[in-house]
Amino acid sequence: MINVIAVIIAIASVLASLAHVGYLALLNNAANKRAGGAPVAQYVRSRWALAGGTSAAALLAWLFTSGGTGMDILAIIVAAGSGAVATKALQSTQARYRSGG
């Protein structure tokens, strides 16, 4: 039963980190197409390391779910942490560049 919980949490963490990566990619694409988008592109470049780190940690946690119960518990801890960091980073980036419309 704990394995199922660990897998669900790991998948949710991967989805959260990929959402952050995807949002940064869209933001970077829009900034590169627009004149005066250099500050946004610079911000996005500064956030890639965090996005990559949370994605790697989430995928590692998903890999941990193939082990025993101890690895499942470790997977839950790592996945919950990386998912929380990715979600918080995504929310802060969205709040910074949210348009009024």
Side-chain angles (χ1 to χ4, degrees), residues 26-47:
L26 289 173
L27 196 59
N28 191 44
N29 187 27
N32 288 334
K33 288 182 180 178
R34 183 176 178 171
V40 176
Q42 171 112 14
Y43 175 79
V44 169
R45 278 192 299 273
S46 73
R47 304 296 281 182

Side-chain angles (χ1 to χ4, degrees), residues 23 94-101:
Y23 189 78
Q94 285 177 334
R96 183 174 178 145
Y97 293 109
R98 181 162 290 149
S99 65

Side-chain angles (χ1 to χ4, degrees), residues 1-77:
M1 183 65 180
I2 190 136
N3 183 264
V4 174
I5 295 168
V7 169
I8 290 171
I9 293 172
I11 291 172
S13 177
V14 168
L15 291 176
S17 64
L18 290 180
H20 185 220
V21 168
Y23 189 78
L24 287 177
L26 289 173
L27 196 59
N28 191 44
N29 187 27
N32 288 334
K33 288 182 180 178
R34 183 176 178 171
V40 176
Q42 171 112 14
Y43 175 79
V44 169
R45 278 192 299 273
S46 73
R47 304 296 281 182
W48 281 122
L50 177 66
T54 57
S55 296
L59 290 171
L60 182 65
W62 198 354
L63 182 65
F64 285 168
T65 62
S66 63
T69 303
M71 292 301 285
D72 286 339
I73 293 170
L74 183 61
I76 290 170
I77 293 168

